[in-house]
Amino acid sequence: MVRVQTDDFDVSSVLGELCHDRTDVGASVSFIGYVRDLNLEVDVEAMHLEHYPGMTEKALAVIVDEALTRWKLTGAAVIHRVGELRPPDQIVLVAVTSAHRGDAFSACEFIMDYLKTRAPFWKKEQLKDGSSRWVDARASDDEAAQRWDNSETW
Amino acid sequence: MRIRVLYFAALAEQVDCRSEELETNAASASELIEVLRARGDPWRSAFDSRTQVAINQHLAKQADSLGDGDEVAFFPPVTGG
């Protein structure tokens, strides 16, 4: 399941959908990202999430498909919000189910690391002094994604 | 050939353009970047090695080739999640 939306989401109903009518799920792992009130030592009042309509869903689906190829999963869901958000709003949900926790933990982290470097979203922060600035991509996100390129999970 | 070019985020703000239709002979995304940079500032300084590219809504590399009717998008490194 891949969704790009302005509305908020509820992790327990998404997990409920992933597990619905199944008895083969042994583990679920979920990650939620939130809007924080502080970035680079400056107070953030609000954030605007821009995206590439059409490509965004495709890019997330490609990442989820790769996770399904690399690990034995029973399901995966990504929901990413766009538009205007404020601290402490939820931004993104990645939820993964599997027979075993190892695959679920790894796949969830993998999807987030690839989302951070390959999904067409851009964040613009509105600061308390009225100014705004685009968030810069982080080298640490590139490094996190690269370790999956080199890993032996195939 | 005719292509549609889209710009996003800080890059779109810098060149003050979100989309345009172009008639071009540029064979690759990097050749297209040179065509755009030749317009002078702000285009000249808007692109660098970190600029990301999508061709027909799939993440691509600057070296990848373009075809007639393609949708090409240029944007800064993504910052979702």
Side-chain angles (χ1 to χ4, degrees):
Chain A
M1 175 208 309
V2 165
R3 291 188 202 140
V4 176
Q5 61 191 47
T6 52
D7 289 348
D8 204 357
F9 51 79
D10 172 54
V11 60
S12 44
S13 44
V14 172
L15 290 175
E17 279 186 60
L18 289 178
C19 294
H20 185 61
D21 277 347
R22 299 191 79 129
T23 51
D24 57 345
V25 174
S28 73
V29 171
S30 61
F31 168 84
I32 297 174
Y34 305 87
V35 180
R36 257 185 311 123
D37 61 0
L38 192 72
N39 190 28
L40 301 172
E41 297 171 32
V42 176
D43 291 331
V44 175
E45 211 154 69
M47 172 184 290
H48 178 79
L49 254 301
E50 181 176 330
H51 75 116
Y52 182 169
M55 182 182 169
T56 322
E57 292 87 342
K58 284 198 200 55
L60 292 174
V62 164
I63 295 167
V64 168
D65 282 347
E66 188 147 349
L68 292 168
T69 306
R70 292 199 191 202
W71 291 280
K72 285 201 182 72
L73 307 178
T74 49
V78 176
I79 301 179
H80 201 302
R81 294 176 71 189
V82 291
E84 303 298 320
L85 298 174
R86 297 180 167 272
D89 287 347
Q90 303 186 127
I91 304 172
V92 60
L93 167 68
V94 174
V96 172
T97 59
S98 175
H100 301 290
R101 72 185 188 285
D103 284 354
F105 274 118
S106 296
C108 188
E109 192 167 17
F110 166 85
I111 291 170
M112 264 315 294
D113 287 343
Y114 263 36
L115 185 160
K116 293 290 264 184
T117 53
R118 297 178 183 210
F121 298 97
W122 301 274
K123 290 174 178 164
K124 191 174 193 184
E125 292 169 333
Q126 276 104 57
L127 309 180
K128 272 209 162 64
D129 67 2
S131 67
S132 57
R133 68 179 179 197
W134 289 97
V135 172
D136 271 335
R138 294 186 186 179
S140 55
D141 288 333
D142 285 327
E143 285 152 20
Q146 267 161 34
R147 68 200 163 113
W148 298 107
D149 297 340
N150 302 326
S151 73
E152 301 286 320
T153 54
W154 291 99
Chain B
M1 58 186 178
R2 191 150 192 83
I3 56 172
R4 180 169 166 71
V5 191
L6 304 180
Y7 308 97
F8 290 93
L11 196 157
E13 280 185 357
Q14 190 169 350
V15 300
D16 193 23
C17 181
R18 295 252 152 218
S19 69
E20 58 179 319
E21 302 274 332
L22 275 187
E23 201 51 63
T24 181
N25 293 324
S28 67
S30 57
E31 278 186 32
L32 178 57
I33 286 173
E34 289 316 307
V35 168
L36 297 170
R37 295 181 78 224
R39 293 173 173 178
D41 275 330
W43 297 88
R44 191 170 179 68
S45 47
F47 301 88
D48 61 23
S49 58
R50 297 185 72 214
T51 303
Q52 289 193 273
V53 186
I55 298 174
N56 296 324
Q57 302 189 353
H58 292 278
L59 208 56
K61 295 188 168 56
Q62 289 188 14
D64 288 349
S65 53
L66 303 179
D68 187 39
D70 278 352
E71 176 173 297
V72 185
F74 292 111
F75 40 86
V78 300
T79 55

